[in-house]
Amino acid sequence: MEKSTERRHEEIRKYLLAYERASVNEIARVLDVTPETIRKDFSFLENKGFLFRTHGGAVLRNSNVDIPLNIRTQEKMDIKRLICSKVINYIDNDNVVFIDPSSTALPLGRLICLKKNLLLITNCFDMVSIAAESKHEIIMLGGSYSKTGKRTQGHFVTDMISKFSFDVAIFGLDGSEGLDGPGTQTEDAVFTNMAVMKRSKRNVLIMDSSKFTRPARFQYAQFSDFDLLVTDKVPDQLKGKINTTVIEVGSE
């Protein structure tokens, strides 16, 4: 790689660390290069796991910001579909099911049509929209609206959770680097997830392998608190340290 390219990548890193997000045109002006050059830089840095590409720009991946759901849904969708194709086998007919506002869980919204007579409970607007095509009963947990997460949050959500008994609950995460369990970037999600886990007979954690090396601000559980972890790959250094049943999709 040319030194000028290396220096440019370093300047982009510094800029995003300072401001957390930037547009292509903005960075092009700062570095005095063409927007096409910055698009290539963003693609390179995205593959390196430093940032998320957005429409016309980029967002720092390892920041403490709540990454918008519409950005998260663009990542690793093939892996997310594989994960959900396994998870659906752990949902039975007539179950009461909670699904959290995880982009990894969204493909479940279409797969639940394979089951009968579910009661689906969620605080994710996109999940409700997708699952509405099924014949299942759906309850949306009420609360204040998060524009970035496209979910409800707050004490009204946890108040409603206390009224249910879940057969199975599906959870995602923002990261787990340096943690012994899943983490989230928002404090509110900690209380929501903990409340659901206490009232669920079976708790399932779903994640693509990149989440093992992404940081998160708050940890809401330990891996051992889950009955099942479904992912595409567990890093070698963590094998034997995750004390729960693990399914690696595509490894059979």
Side-chain angles (χ1 to χ4, degrees), residues 113-180:
C113 66
L114 301 173
K115 302 297 178 177
K116 296 180 180 179
N117 196 36
L118 298 182
L119 172 56
L120 173 62
I121 300 161
T122 186
N123 59 329
C124 177
F125 280 83
D126 280 7
M127 178 59 68
V128 170
S129 178
I130 296 169
E133 299 299 320
S134 71
K135 296 181 180 179
H136 302 302
E137 182 178 358
I138 302 171
I139 294 179
M140 179 76 184
L141 298 174
S144 59
Y145 179 60
S146 166
K147 293 181 180 180
T148 56
K150 299 178 73 175
R151 64 179 181 268
T152 54
Q153 58 186 13
H155 67 89
F156 289 114
V157 173
T158 50
D159 285 348
M160 287 187 70
I161 288 169
S162 68
K163 306 300 190 295
F164 296 101
S165 175
F166 305 101
D167 294 298
V168 59
I170 315 296
F171 301 91
L173 70 161
D174 291 323
S176 62
E177 183 182 41
L179 306 176
D180 60 356

Side-chain angles (χ1 to χ4, degrees), residues 36-189:
E36 181 58 32
T37 296
I38 297 302
R39 291 188 187 96
K40 292 177 181 177
D41 291 339
F42 280 179
S43 294
F44 177 85
L45 292 171
E46 182 178 46
N47 290 334
K48 292 295 183 181
F50 183 78
L51 55 78
F52 286 99
R53 292 290 301 277
T54 65
H55 180 68
V59 176
L60 178 66
R61 182 192 297 274
N62 290 339
S63 69
N64 291 330
V65 299
D66 186 16
I67 302 298
L69 182 64
N70 64 336
I71 295 176
R72 290 184 277 126
T73 55
Q74 298 171 20
E75 279 208 317
K76 302 181 185 296
M77 282 311 300
D78 289 343
I79 291 174
K80 292 172 182 177
R81 292 188 188 98
L82 276 174
I83 288 171
C84 289
S85 71
K86 292 293 184 183
V87 173
I88 193 65
N89 296 324
Y90 293 87
I91 298 175
D92 297 325
N93 295 334
D94 305 305
N95 273 182
V96 179
V97 182
F98 172 83
I99 303 179
D100 88 341
S102 163
S103 64
T104 306
L106 285 179
L108 275 175
R110 294 185 174 85
L111 291 173
I112 60 172
C113 66
L114 301 173
K115 302 297 178 177
K116 296 180 180 179
N117 196 36
L118 298 182
L119 172 56
L120 173 62
I121 300 161
T122 186
N123 59 329
C124 177
F125 280 83
D126 280 7
M127 178 59 68
V128 170
S129 178
I130 296 169
E133 299 299 320
S134 71
K135 296 181 180 179
H136 302 302
E137 182 178 358
I138 302 171
I139 294 179
M140 179 76 184
L141 298 174
S144 59
Y145 179 60
S146 166
K147 293 181 180 180
T148 56
K150 299 178 73 175
R151 64 179 181 268
T152 54
Q153 58 186 13
H155 67 89
F156 289 114
V157 173
T158 50
D159 285 348
M160 287 187 70
I161 288 169
S162 68
K163 306 300 190 295
F164 296 101
S165 175
F166 305 101
D167 294 298
V168 59
I170 315 296
F171 301 91
L173 70 161
D174 291 323
S176 62
E177 183 182 41
L179 306 176
D180 60 356
T184 176
Q185 301 291 28
T186 61
E187 183 178 359
D188 184 84

Side-chain angles (χ1 to χ4, degrees), residues 165 190 223:
S165 175
V190 174
F223 288 120

